Amino acid sequence: MNVVNAAILVIDDEEIVRDNIEDILVPRKQSAESVIISDAESLLFAEPKPLLAPRVSNLPAFTVDKAVNGMEGLNRVKASLEAGNPYAVIFLDMRMPGWSGLETAIEIRKHDSKAEIIFITAYSDRSIEEIVEQAGQNVGYHCKPYASEEIIQLATKGVTDYNRLRNLESLMESISSIGLNKHQLTSLLKNILDQLAISVNTDMALIGKLHDDFSYEKVLSIGAIEEKIDLAELIARVKSVDIAKDEVIQIDELVLARLDDYSIFAVLKKQEKLKVEKMYLLKIFIQNAAQAIRNAELNEKLLQKEKLSAVGNAVGMVMHDLRSPIKNIKLITSLMRDDGLGNDLLDLIDQSAEQASEIFDDFLDFIGQTPVKKHPVSINKIVDEAMKQTETREGIENIALHKDIPESLMVPGDESKLRRTLINLVNNAVDVLHDHKITGAYVSVSARIHEGDKVLITVTDNGTGIPPEIAKTLFEPFVTRQKSNGTGLGLAIVKQYISAHGGEIWVENNPGAVFSILLPL
């Protein structure tokens, strides 16, 4: 259970005011003698004692320190910070000899931006706007004379606000060390962002990522801020900022943190510019949220590696038992031909057996990241084989396949792995088109020389495109693309194959999915 900080400092040049506020907040207990006298008075004057004891107050257990001027008050603030016992609330007279109340507040803010400052004065020669501008947002203002109940209310509210923000601050600082998956982390960040938005008096907030290519990815938001913010202008602002890795900076209402391969930012929509004293909460939030997001991503990758390792071990265990039956298929078809039973179906059975064997080998290569062995490969040949392989795919009769490739186009590579890459991409496209019942569905594969020393291969469909929420993680293991029969490994294997060839692969929507592969010649 968190201990409530109810430490109060009263800075006033009038002793009667200092003592009065102390007496209000920390009432002196009745002595035993005064209790006896009170009981005697009740008996002598026939005044019955109340049947019920006075209700115990639920107020904070205030402690009060006092200072006669601004300089002494500042020294007490500095001493309290050094001792690790800061003041939650500071009552401050506006007009005092030496430093005025406002000058004292400005000096205090150089050391403590978190304490709630409440000005108590008989003079209102400065506007609240001027006071807030110079002393920060977490200030209050009350005119003398005052009632005891008013001082209690001001102190209680100040202590409550101070401790609520410290608890929020502590929670924000803890999220960077909590091991959560992305879904759990998003829920926690949403809860904290809701509280943070309340603290800075806004009902709209946005947390997002900006990748190195300046593509935007939403993390979470509250309110209708996405409809009201100009993302193009926001991206332009972020692009213009020179920020080092792990640095956190503030630009007006925008707070930006730099991670390994993207920036994460928070922006709060508000009529007036937020003051530094409130913005530091947002800065703490984004700094720790960025670290927590990075930790969640590292945890996800670690889990993926563990899953892949487990799958690889399992496949390796059954590979020995499956290898002989698969290789026996070709022996059986050969015997059938010797008996005069040869036909096109036997050729298809042989081809399927070879592909099954290749799939096992390729998968184990992926787990072990086996280097590729390059030989001249005909792009036309492997594309034809990829398209032929779709003949048994469900719904293929309603999908047109197109090819636009120069006849003599060759590329150095591992034929099996490049074939598997194209089979995977073409099959994915066919499955998505069938699952979404696309009218006039087609898959097109094209290839051409690019910049003289590369080959660009594109696989295009006219489906629904890649969902934005998985676009950045599409090539990671166990991410599926709206398919009825996806395993989540296909595109991760494709990515590894292309990278092993020294190439690149990326995807865009136009409006269907367009996968582009760039291979060196």
Side-chain angles (χ1 to χ4, degrees), residues 69-89:
N69 56 50
M71 187 169 292
E72 182 185 346
L74 175 63
N75 289 333
R76 285 191 172 274
V77 168
K78 291 162 70 174
S80 71
L81 292 171
E82 290 172 2
N85 300 306
Y87 294 109
V89 177

Side-chain angles (χ1 to χ4, degrees), residues 385-419:
E385 290 169 348
M387 289 185 167
K388 185 170 181 59
Q389 194 268 347
T390 64
E391 290 177 357
T392 57
R393 214 78 182 170
E394 187 177 2
I396 188 63
E397 66 277 3
N398 299 316
I399 300 170
L401 302 179
H402 304 296
K403 183 183 75 168
D404 180 17
I405 301 170
E407 191 62 38
S408 59
L409 186 58
M410 307 286 286
V411 66
D414 187 312
E415 183 171 329
S416 170
K417 290 177 171 53
L418 293 179
R419 181 191 304 111

Side-chain angles (χ1 to χ4, degrees), residues 113-268:
S113 63
K114 301 177 182 180
E116 301 286 326
I117 295 178
I118 302 172
F119 289 97
I120 301 291
T121 181
Y123 306 96
S124 55
D125 52 352
R126 293 183 183 271
S127 68
I128 188 63
E129 290 79 12
E130 183 180 359
I131 293 172
V132 168
E133 182 67 33
Q134 298 186 55
Q137 275 193 328
N138 45 335
V139 299
Y141 194 104
H142 194 77
C143 290
K144 297 176 183 177
Y146 52 78
S148 298
E149 292 78 8
E150 291 173 330
I151 294 297
I152 292 173
Q153 289 173 4
L154 289 169
T156 302
K157 181 180 184 303
V159 165
T160 301
D161 289 346
Y162 177 90
N163 285 276
R164 177 172 55 82
L165 292 178
R166 298 296 74 73
N167 291 337
L168 179 57
E169 183 180 335
S170 176
L171 178 60
M172 290 189 294
E173 289 175 343
S174 70
I175 61 175
S176 62
S177 59
I178 299 176
L180 301 173
N181 61 39
K182 287 184 180 179
H183 177 73
Q184 293 169 328
L185 179 61
T186 298
S187 298
L188 178 59
L189 292 178
K190 174 68 164 60
N191 180 272
I192 296 175
L193 185 61
D194 284 337
Q195 297 181 54
L196 180 59
I198 292 171
S199 299
V200 295
N201 301 318
T202 183
D203 58 357
M204 293 184 289
L206 171 70
I207 302 291
K209 289 183 185 178
L210 209 59
H211 294 264
D212 279 349
D213 60 0
F214 296 109
S215 58
Y216 162 72
E217 179 185 350
K218 174 184 172 182
V219 176
L220 59 97
S221 67
I222 57 175
I225 191 169
E226 286 181 284
E227 301 171 6
K228 300 188 177 182
I229 195 170
D230 186 342
L231 281 176
E233 190 271 338
L234 175 65
I235 292 171
R237 287 171 66 187
V238 175
K239 287 171 70 174
S240 66
V241 176
D242 184 17
I243 179 172
K245 179 185 171 185
D246 293 326
E247 186 181 3
V248 181
I249 63 170
Q250 175 189 332
I251 313 168
D252 296 329
E253 76 281 9
L254 173 70
V255 173
L256 182 67
R258 179 67 189 159
L259 299 187
D260 288 326
D261 54 358
Y262 58 79
S263 299
I264 184 167
F265 62 88
V267 59
L268 295 167

Side-chain angles (χ1 to χ4, degrees), residues 437-449:
K437 298 178 172 57
I438 301 299
T439 303
Y442 70 84
V443 180
S444 175
V445 182
S446 64
R448 59 182 174 83
I449 301 294

Side-chain angles (χ1 to χ4, degrees), residues 338-371:
D338 291 343
D339 290 341
L341 299 176
N343 57 45
D344 292 341
L345 288 177
L346 292 182
D347 294 337
L348 184 59
I349 291 172
D350 282 344
Q351 182 181 352
S352 297
E354 288 177 5
Q355 288 178 354
S357 181
E358 286 179 357
I359 290 171
F360 274 106
D361 291 340
D362 288 347
F363 189 82
L364 290 176
D365 285 350
F366 171 73
I367 297 296
Q369 298 192 359
T370 306

